[in-house]
Amino acid sequence: MPELPEVETTRRGLAQHLSGCVLSKIDVRQPNLRWLVVLPESLLGQRLLGVTRRAKYLLLRFASGNLIIHLGMSGSLRILTAYHPAGKHDHIDLIFSETRSNSPRGNSILRYTDPRRFGSFHYQPGAVSEHWLLQKLGVEPLAQEFSGLYLYHHAQRRKTAIKNLLMNHQVVVGIGNIYASEALFRAAIRPNVRASRLTRAGAERLVISTKETLEEAILSGGTTLQDFTATDGRPGYFRQQLYVYGRTGKPCRLCGTSVKRVATGQRMSFYCPKCQS
Ligand SMILES: [Zn+2]
């Protein structure tokens, strides 16, 4: 599943390649994604003013409003600079034309591919923060608002496992199973510890390790932007070296102890019993 770093890498790729271009054609071959895709014709002829991100939603900003895109479980976006026949899972093309007269570039096709069709496209005129998908979201993990004090405050009196709190999108957005497990390892906190037992110092460590884990992943993704315009294959998603996620029974990369797993809520969590004691 695309996590926040992959979405942020995609955002940078879109901003770099498409900002300033004019949307000239919308081709929805399969509207039955997670929700029915209905895109207004009024978007045609509008210039893409910028690409931002809120949680794992990509926001393509036009003068009249925003296109809100979520990649779901298996979605990806890539940019084609020459015609390439659409495959079975290539559901949506947004065709942009380069209008700057001094540029030799022609059309760019932003192609959405999604085998499992859990992704989504919505259009929101006016203020994008008022869209129902975005209304109840917590703070961004890389923003200053996500601080040790903030996390400590939200952890008080909660009986849930600390990892579940870190993945609660009404508290902090965009942290999935992989990055929650890795951030907890770096902070030396077990994933199944009750949130209410988190100390103020532990909260500080966990916030710092969460930001570091995400930022490293974004940086390693940034090196793959060149691949973003590849005409075949997936966009340049990446896998940074993981310490614990998915490594049950393998030696901890720091101390050699076997990595263990434990259920936290519906999900499996991974930890080193020695480093995270
Ligand atoms: Zn260890």
Side-chain angles (χ1 to χ4, degrees):
M1 182 190 306
E3 296 226 29
L4 187 139
E6 288 88 340
V7 178
E8 176 61 20
T9 300
T10 300
R11 182 196 74 74
R12 292 178 187 188
L14 299 190
Q16 185 180 323
H17 291 284
L18 297 178
S19 284
C21 294
V22 170
L23 182 60
S24 56
K25 192 174 174 219
I26 300 172
D27 189 1
V28 179
R29 286 179 288 272
Q30 170 55 278
N32 294 305
L33 300 184
R34 180 164 185 187
W35 292 285
L36 189 71
V37 176
V38 182
L39 301 179
E41 295 229 333
S42 61
L43 275 172
L44 297 178
Q46 290 198 48
R47 192 177 298 279
L48 180 64
L49 301 176
V51 185
T52 53
R53 179 185 58 73
R54 179 73 175 103
K56 294 203 288 184
Y57 294 98
L58 289 161
L59 311 176
L60 275 60
R61 185 162 53 87
F62 297 90
S64 68
N66 282 264
L67 204 52
I68 306 171
I69 303 175
H70 196 284
L71 303 176
M73 306 288 286
S74 58
S76 62
L77 286 162
R78 64 199 153 112
I79 297 166
L80 311 175
T81 50
Y83 175 75
H84 197 74
K88 182 181 168 196
H89 301 301
D90 297 334
H91 304 311
I92 296 173
D93 281 354
L94 300 180
I95 295 143
F96 288 88
S97 52
E98 175 70 69
T99 57
R100 278 167 281 185
S101 55
N102 58 352
S103 168
R105 280 166 55 190
N107 288 348
S108 294
I109 302 168
L110 178 60
R111 177 161 288 175
Y112 181 72
T113 306
D114 190 354
R116 296 180 66 181
R117 291 198 271 126
F118 275 105
S120 65
F121 277 63
H122 288 90
Y123 174 69
Q124 168 77 356
V128 70
S129 58
E130 287 169 16
H131 193 271
W132 62 274
L133 284 168
L134 307 184
Q135 272 176 352
K136 289 187 177 172
L137 295 177
V139 299
E140 287 286 329
L142 296 175
Q144 274 189 344
E145 289 81 12
F146 184 54
S147 64
L149 186 61
Y150 176 88
L151 185 63
Y152 181 69
H153 169 74
H154 279 278
Q156 299 300 295
R157 294 187 297 278
R158 295 221 195 197
K159 290 179 181 172
T160 186
I162 183 63
K163 178 155 166 282
N164 293 344
L165 182 71
L166 209 52
M167 292 175 63
N168 180 339
H169 291 174
Q170 292 187 12
V171 176
V172 55
V173 297
I175 304 174
N177 207 13
I178 296 174
Y179 295 106
S181 291
E182 293 297 304
L184 283 158
F185 173 80
R186 291 179 185 217
I189 296 169
R190 283 204 190 185
N192 56 346
V193 166
R194 262 191 193 196
S196 59
R197 288 186 53 210
L198 186 69
T199 62
R200 180 69 205 282
E204 292 289 345
R205 285 204 314 277
L206 186 50
V207 164
I208 289 168
S209 69
T210 300
K211 289 176 194 276
E212 281 177 357
T213 305
L214 292 172
E215 274 164 2
E216 280 176 24
I218 291 166
L219 278 177
S220 67
T223 64
T224 64
L225 276 183
Q226 261 186 322
D227 302 334
F228 200 76
T229 53
T231 52
D232 50 20
R234 295 166 56 77
Y237 292 163
F238 46 84
R239 178 57 53 92
Q240 68 193 133
Q241 189 177 60
L242 300 175
Y243 285 98
V244 286
Y245 181 82
R247 299 192 66 244
T248 311
K250 294 187 177 146
C252 170
R253 294 191 201 278
L254 290 191
C255 74
T257 306
S258 283
V259 171
K260 283 193 155 40
R261 68 174 188 173
V262 61
T264 46
Q266 309 286 322
R267 304 234 186 194
M268 293 316 287
S269 298
F270 306 86
Y271 68 100
C272 169
K274 190 169 171 199
C275 293
Q276 293 163 268
S277 55

